[in-house]
Amino acid sequence: RVPIRRVPQPAPEVIRSTWRQAAIPRIERALRASQARNPGGWYVVGASTDLGATSIVRTVAGREVALWRDENARVHAGPGACPHMGARLDRCDVAGADLMCRWHGLRLPSEWPGSWRTLPAHDDGALLWVRLPTADEDPTDSPTLPVRPDPTTSLTSVFAKSARCEPQDIIANRLDPWHGAWFHPYAFSHLVVDDDASTDDCLVTDVTFRLNHTWGVPVRAQFTCPDARTIVMHITEGEGAGSVVETHATPLGTDPEGHPVTVMTEATIGFSPRPGFAVARAFAPLIRPLMVRTQAQLWVDDLEYAQRRYLVRTGQVRL
């Protein structure tokens, strides 16, 4: 069956308001449930494709972290500053499993044992992770990953953007699906949360993804939080069933004005059993930029929401 339906975009004056359904206590209960889940000290620090033959440096909670791949393409991590004279360890070459500082060639960690210690790192095929000691979090051997489509039959795109807010504000944005048809009318319509199927741990929605003002693709999706810094949308019915959209929030630190800064990283992992999808995967280098452009457009809106929520929550804007 053709998944596209003739679903005309309704005018704003005829769309049912959703503010009663988007009750603040309801969203806060779901947020509290998400924040109680242990991330195990793991933070997303970029896309797997960000890391090539030389090192990169990322900042997590005010701490610089260097990442590199060894000769077997396994990812490693360590402090982002060279212990010799403090050089930033980005764009460094690799020898075996050692990172070679660009200033003087110090091989790390081999030539500086003990005080310069590597950090647990993980590449899940779509995203890079690093584990740091984090207050109130019990470290785990690996990050908690959602069920994903088979990478050999799916198409992945990753988009990242920073915002002046805390991780919880980004998670709270996604725990409010009721804003979708109002705040993103170019992307969504006919959005209904199935209250009977939903709980504080899982929101179930029916929504139409818009192709234009006349045509759309109806799907059923659910939102869950595997840890306090992650929320995942699974498409459970309709076109693309099995596809996931993962949203990860990583704190950077504070800006010069003292406001918290968080990086939102979204991984869209699409799947379809249709023969045409296999053809689309063959053109992934052309299609992926279009996926990223769609992600970017949505997150311009959603990060505005998250930043505003932070200001309201911290009393900098009074209601």
Side-chain angles (χ1 to χ4, degrees), residues 136-194:
D136 300 322
E137 293 185 15
D138 296 325
T140 57
D141 292 337
S142 61
T144 302
L145 300 178
V147 175
R148 292 173 170 172
D150 184 340
T152 64
T153 58
S154 57
L155 183 59
T156 300
S157 69
V158 178
F159 173 74
K161 188 174 178 62
S162 63
R164 188 188 272 188
C165 64
E166 294 180 337
Q168 64 159 296
D169 300 302
I170 290 173
I171 301 302
N173 165 266
R174 306 299 279 163
L175 289 172
D176 173 16
W178 298 276
H179 78 272
W182 284 98
F183 207 32
H184 313 294
Y186 53 86
F188 307 113
S189 69
H190 301 83
L191 190 151
V192 177
V193 174
D194 186 336

Side-chain angles (χ1 to χ4, degrees), residues 255-290:
D255 66 11
E257 298 178 11
H259 296 286
V261 179
T262 298
V263 168
M264 183 290 308
T265 304
E266 181 177 271
T268 297
I269 307 174
F271 167 78
S272 173
R274 296 181 182 276
F277 187 77
V279 175
R281 289 187 68 252
F283 292 92
L286 299 177
I287 294 175
R288 194 170 285 115
L290 300 177

Side-chain angles (χ1 to χ4, degrees), residues 22-318:
I24 295 173
R26 182 177 187 174
I27 295 171
E28 291 298 322
R29 285 199 310 272
L31 182 62
R32 283 195 299 272
S34 75
Q35 298 306 290
R37 297 190 178 91
N38 178 38
W42 290 96
Y43 298 85
V44 168
V45 288
S48 298
T49 53
D50 290 345
L51 189 56
T54 59
S55 65
I56 60 174
V57 172
R58 296 288 188 263
T59 300
V60 179
R63 179 174 178 175
E64 288 185 332
V65 177
L67 297 103
W68 68 98
R69 294 190 188 278
D70 62 22
E71 56 193 357
N72 297 314
R74 180 184 175 188
V75 66
H76 297 262
C82 179
H84 176 219
M85 295 178 66
R88 184 177 168 89
L89 295 173
D90 63 331
R91 295 173 291 143
C92 297
D93 290 325
V94 178
D98 280 338
L99 192 63
M100 296 187 293
C101 176
R102 294 172 59 234
W103 281 18
H104 301 99
L106 174 62
R107 296 190 175 207
L108 296 165
S110 294
E111 294 184 334
W112 204 280
S115 59
W116 194 92
R117 297 181 179 179
T118 58
L119 300 164
H122 182 74
D123 181 353
D124 65 23
L127 299 169
L128 299 171
W129 302 73
V130 66
R131 195 184 77 194
L132 296 174
T134 304
D136 300 322
E137 293 185 15
D138 296 325
T140 57
D141 292 337
S142 61
T144 302
L145 300 178
V147 175
R148 292 173 170 172
D150 184 340
T152 64
T153 58
S154 57
L155 183 59
T156 300
S157 69
V158 178
F159 173 74
K161 188 174 178 62
S162 63
R164 188 188 272 188
C165 64
E166 294 180 337
Q168 64 159 296
D169 300 302
I170 290 173
I171 301 302
N173 165 266
R174 306 299 279 163
L175 289 172
D176 173 16
W178 298 276
H179 78 272
W182 284 98
F183 207 32
H184 313 294
Y186 53 86
F188 307 113
S189 69
H190 301 83
L191 190 151
V192 177
V193 174
D194 186 336
D195 289 324
D196 292 334
S198 298
T199 67
D200 289 344
D201 296 315
C202 178
L203 282 168
V204 181
T205 66
D206 294 299
V207 63
T208 295
F209 289 99
R210 305 241 39 103
L211 299 178
N212 56 34
H213 286 289
T214 304
W215 301 94
V217 180
V219 302
R220 189 170 177 86
Q222 65 180 33
F223 295 83
T224 57
C225 295
D227 69 61
R229 289 187 288 272
T230 301
I231 183 165
V232 182
M233 181 187 77
H234 291 267
I235 296 179
T236 57
E237 296 178 25
E239 181 61 18
S243 301
V244 300
V245 179
E246 302 176 17
T247 302
H248 304 271
T250 301
L252 292 187
T254 56
D255 66 11
E257 298 178 11
H259 296 286
V261 179
T262 298
V263 168
M264 183 290 308
T265 304
E266 181 177 271
T268 297
I269 307 174
F271 167 78
S272 173
R274 296 181 182 276
F277 187 77
V279 175
R281 289 187 68 252
F283 292 92
L286 299 177
I287 294 175
R288 194 170 285 115
L290 300 177
M291 296 173 66
V292 171
R293 187 173 68 181
T294 299
Q295 292 171 285
Q297 184 179 20
L298 286 168
W299 278 105
V300 166
D301 294 341
D302 279 336
L303 290 182
E304 176 188 334
Y305 176 123
Q307 291 178 133
R308 183 70 175 182
R309 181 184 186 275
Y310 165 72
L311 293 175
V312 172
R313 179 172 60 82
T314 57
Q316 298 177 66
V317 172
R318 295 187 180 182

